[in-house]
Amino acid sequence: MYALVDAVSFYASAEKVFDPSIRNKPVVVLTNNDGCICAVCPIARRLGIPKFEPYFKVKWLLQKHGVVVRSSNYELYADLSEKMMNVIARFCDDQYIYSIDESFLLFKNYDNLIKDWDKYGHEIRRAIWKETKLPVGVGFGMTPTLAKAANHAAKKLLGYNGVAVIESKSSAKEVLQKMDVGDIWGIGRKISKRLNLQGINNAFQFSTLDPKSIRREFSVVTERTLNELNGLSCLSWDDVREDKREIFSTRSFGQRIVDKHALQAALSKHGAIVCKKVRQQSSLVKKLLIFASSSPHDDFYYKQSFIYEFPVASDNSCDILSAISSVLDEIFKPGVRFYRCGVGAIQLESRRFQQSDLFMPDNSNPQLMKCLDKINNRYGQGTLKLGSEGKSEKFKMRREFLSPQFTSNWKDIPKIIC
Amino acid sequence: MKFIPIYIEAGISGFESPATEYKELGLSLDQLLISHPNATFIGQASGESMIEAGIFDGDLLIVDRSLTAKNGNIIVANYNGCFVCKIIDKDQARLLSASKDHAPVKINQEDEFQVEGIVTRSIRMHLKSPELLKCMP
């Protein structure tokens, strides 16, 4: 049996943990630079506050309902996530942390120990609520995809109180019939649109299709999803997160950038973030995409991008940042008020299977990069950086509605009235 | 010109400290004060109503959420949207102070009330800590 445990609108719920004054109020959390709404608590959801809308568009609606608005407080979320995961880990010996607020559990040989999965799910929920004050949904299923579907039911469908169990064909049918095909884990928007055109609307209909023809029409991944819905486990922890094939770092600026050096610094900073992530998964960058643009809402929209191909793939920050500097003149245009920029490693190679080049020297400097990453992990991102990243703070994230760092900064610990 | 004296070393290695094996046995306050790290948070007391229980203004409170409150425990609760530190009287649904100047507070139906956790330790900073000073207004 598999389980998926995840928090109910994690960022918004996390905001309520140390601020009891907003526990019963509608709360939304904004993305980086306060751009869009990324989390809506259940109270705000009932008021009809939409997710993923730009903040400026729904500002009036939020004001009308007295919704509490918060910027993303990553320091707080990271701490609460770790605590929540540790509490979840108590309930199973095989845990896979899938994201900041989602955790899979695999129960092998638990059949004699746990007779009532629903009851066990409620035990998990109660413990997490009591110890971390975070509300979670728990879904059990015979496969990871069914556990994910059950989790969806536990949180979104009527009649399930935060826990749902799929342990047979009939309980699977019951849940899948009420689920849109697009809500299945692994079915993206494109595939669900095509399925809709064929008259396949709910997840149960999809599960009755022929796996072989699905494979022919879509892909082996979609076939696996189908098999998983029918109780055939196809995913294992290692498959759930494979190395990324592309790594991007991009963001809109808190303030517009008109200066060439400021743009270089911003691009370099993104480059440094990409390099760090590339090294984390032991990859090397072969092709790098570098781009910058003004806002599409501007009168004259300007967008320029450049692809840089390295003769020998590299994970050396110095190589990548000098590549960025070399194309800066192509991208920068005087008079343009740059709104966003970014860097993406669009072709990666594995360090393990690296082809060395007969004529090009190996420029990598693993000791230096290891040292750089270690220092930045210990003392915070940007403690040690390359000169081109600059020291300006101009594109620091805008977080106007940031809550205190209740658990990571002594001056912010919660006040308790005596 | 500067001279840097360099002494000749003859590979003297000295004696290994007989305590090397015991190096890891230092004392950790976390280990002593926090029994359930995942369910514990640290807050700061503000006010005088718990003085007779030994909790003074500015003390640090270690709050354990995993324990269930028993009658007479010092607890932290969410009382109408504020964290308060009081003694719980379950029989009469009251919050008691540890000071003659503060009367018991009755918890009514319309009050928002949740027990957050139990105060397992309180810590007094006899010399002000620079880290914490910033938070005193």
Side-chain angles (χ1 to χ4, degrees):
Chain A
M1 187 64 107
Y2 290 84
L4 178 69
V5 185
D6 78 339
V8 178
S9 49
F10 176 60
Y11 287 8
S13 299
E15 289 293 337
K16 298 187 180 200
V17 171
F18 291 108
D19 189 349
S21 69
I22 61 168
R23 287 251 173 104
N24 293 324
K25 286 186 184 156
V27 174
V28 298
V29 178
L30 305 178
T31 50
N32 298 334
N33 275 324
D34 297 340
C36 287
I37 294 179
C38 65
V40 177
C41 83
I43 302 171
R45 200 185 305 140
R46 281 196 288 275
L47 291 170
I49 309 293
K51 218 173 152 181
F52 304 124
E53 281 291 314
Y55 170 56
F56 73 91
K57 270 193 183 168
V58 289
K59 210 170 168 179
W60 65 273
L61 186 67
L62 300 175
Q63 272 167 359
K64 188 180 132 196
H65 290 297
V67 176
V68 178
V69 178
R70 290 283 159 88
S71 305
S72 291
N73 184 343
Y74 294 110
E75 293 85 351
L76 177 68
Y77 308 154
D79 182 72
L80 287 175
S81 166
E82 194 189 330
K83 286 182 170 145
M84 181 179 94
M85 294 307 175
N86 288 340
V87 176
I88 295 171
R90 257 195 349 242
F91 290 87
C92 183
D93 61 344
D94 192 352
Q95 179 191 30
Y96 181 81
I97 296 170
Y98 179 67
S99 73
I100 189 166
D101 71 328
E102 292 173 285
S103 169
F104 279 102
L105 303 172
L106 170 55
F107 297 92
K108 240 185 205 162
N109 308 324
Y110 275 65
D111 300 337
N112 291 326
L113 291 166
I114 301 166
K115 298 282 178 225
D116 187 341
W117 290 103
D118 188 66
K119 195 175 138 213
Y120 197 62
H122 282 289
E123 267 173 47
I124 297 175
R125 279 192 86 208
R126 259 198 307 277
I128 297 168
W129 172 253
K130 185 170 186 209
E131 297 181 29
T132 66
K133 285 287 180 278
L134 289 167
V136 297
V138 185
F140 291 97
M142 290 104 80
T143 64
T145 307
L146 282 174
K148 187 106 180 166
N151 179 282
H152 173 87
K155 296 199 305 188
K156 301 271 163 74
L157 298 184
L158 272 175
Y160 298 93
N161 215 344
V163 179
V165 184
I166 295 179
E167 51 188 339
S168 63
K169 282 250 169 218
S170 62
S171 54
K173 187 176 173 183
E174 205 182 306
V175 168
L176 296 179
Q177 269 179 335
K178 294 180 203 155
M179 237 175 116
D180 285 342
V181 71
D183 286 331
I184 304 171
W185 190 39
I187 301 293
R189 215 178 330 161
K190 266 188 202 161
I191 298 176
S192 71
K193 243 184 202 164
R194 270 163 68 188
L195 287 166
N196 288 160
L197 287 175
Q198 296 170 21
I200 308 295
N201 293 312
N202 70 48
F204 178 70
Q205 285 174 307
F206 175 70
S207 74
T208 58
L209 299 177
D210 171 43
K212 287 217 179 74
S213 54
I214 282 294
R215 182 183 194 155
R216 241 176 289 130
E217 194 177 341
F218 298 96
S219 70
V220 66
V221 181
T222 314
E223 184 198 12
R224 262 190 223 158
T225 301
L226 176 57
N227 284 333
E228 283 246 325
L229 288 181
N230 287 309
L232 200 68
S233 276
C234 306
L235 300 170
S236 66
W237 293 164
D238 296 321
D239 295 336
V240 177
R241 180 163 21 208
E242 55 184 32
D243 281 350
K244 286 185 190 146
R245 286 185 211 139
E246 290 185 340
I247 293 174
F248 272 80
S249 172
T250 167
R251 187 178 291 164
S252 48
F253 304 118
Q255 291 160 6
R256 298 298 184 96
I257 283 184
V258 290
D259 173 62
K260 190 168 158 185
H261 291 294
L263 183 66
Q264 180 183 22
L267 284 169
S268 300
K269 202 165 217 178
H270 287 305
I273 292 170
V274 168
C275 288
K276 190 186 165 197
K277 288 184 178 167
V278 164
R279 289 194 291 269
Q280 258 169 12
Q281 64 171 35
S282 306
S283 295
L284 301 165
V285 184
K286 182 68 180 158
K287 270 188 200 158
L288 194 68
L289 176 73
I290 303 142
F291 59 93
S293 72
S294 63
S295 163
H297 301 293
D298 286 353
D299 284 344
F300 301 99
Y301 180 49
Y302 173 85
K303 184 172 192 281
Q304 187 60 265
S305 58
F306 203 92
I307 292 175
Y308 188 99
E309 184 168 350
F310 292 88
V312 181
S314 168
D315 67 353
N316 188 335
S317 293
C318 306
D319 288 352
I320 279 116
L321 265 55
S322 63
I324 292 171
S325 300
S326 72
V327 300
L328 185 68
D329 282 327
E330 326 268 346
I331 287 170
F332 179 76
K333 189 178 165 191
V336 174
R337 298 171 68 237
F338 285 96
Y339 173 67
R340 63 186 276 124
C341 76
V343 171
I346 51 173
Q347 191 184 332
L348 292 167
E349 287 179 4
S350 160
R351 176 169 268 302
R352 262 199 313 152
F353 305 115
Q354 188 185 14
Q355 288 280 344
S356 46
D357 190 297
L358 186 58
F359 303 107
M360 295 295 289
D362 183 7
N363 226 357
S364 68
N365 194 339
Q367 287 97 340
L368 180 66
M369 291 303 115
K370 209 171 162 187
C371 174
L372 176 75
D373 289 342
K374 270 199 169 160
I375 288 174
N376 283 337
N377 283 340
R378 174 74 182 78
Y379 296 102
Q381 195 57 40
T383 304
L384 198 62
K385 54 190 177 185
L386 273 81
S388 61
E389 288 179 60
K391 53 179 184 168
S392 96
E393 303 272 300
K394 261 183 198 148
F395 42 91
K396 217 173 127 180
M397 224 196 297
R398 185 167 63 201
R399 296 202 281 185
E400 263 179 56
F401 313 104
L402 189 62
S403 53
Q405 286 156 22
F406 293 112
T407 58
S408 54
N409 198 332
W410 281 110
K411 73 177 173 52
D412 286 345
I413 60 174
K415 298 285 159 297
I416 299 167
I417 296 165
C418 291
Chain B
M1 191 182 246
K2 259 191 182 167
F3 285 95
I4 303 167
I6 297 173
Y7 299 100
I8 295 168
E9 285 177 4
I12 298 169
S13 59
F15 298 96
E16 195 194 355
S17 161
T20 318
E21 279 176 51
Y22 300 90
K23 238 181 186 169
E24 302 297 312
L25 300 178
L27 295 174
S28 148
L29 279 178
D30 272 17
Q31 189 198 0
L32 179 74
L33 301 178
I34 302 176
S35 327
H36 305 105
N38 296 313
T40 297
F41 70 94
I42 303 171
Q44 190 172 36
S46 162
E48 316 276 334
S49 76
M50 294 299 284
I51 283 181
E52 280 164 34
I55 296 173
F56 290 76
D57 190 48
D59 283 0
L60 294 181
L61 302 177
I62 295 180
V63 186
D64 190 332
R65 285 187 163 127
S66 69
L67 305 171
T68 303
K70 293 194 192 91
N71 228 352
N73 280 152
I74 299 173
I75 59 153
V76 167
N78 166 19
Y79 179 67
N80 293 329
C82 284
F83 283 149
V84 296
C85 171
K86 295 284 167 191
I87 297 163
I88 188 151
D89 171 10
K90 282 187 153 179
D91 301 332
Q92 300 186 58
R94 291 188 308 169
L95 293 172
L96 312 177
S97 293
S99 151
K100 289 182 195 78
D101 303 332
H102 296 80
V105 177
K106 177 96 184 137
I107 305 161
N108 295 312
Q109 284 262 297
E110 61 274 15
D111 284 324
E112 186 189 339
F113 180 81
Q114 271 167 325
V115 176
E116 288 292 317
I118 296 193
V119 178
T120 53
R121 333 270 178 209
S122 63
I123 299 164
R124 183 142 337 115
M125 316 296 279
H126 292 281
L127 281 180
K128 294 294 170 223
S129 138
E131 294 276 6
L132 277 172
L133 264 184
K134 290 179 217 150
C135 66
M136 303 300 267

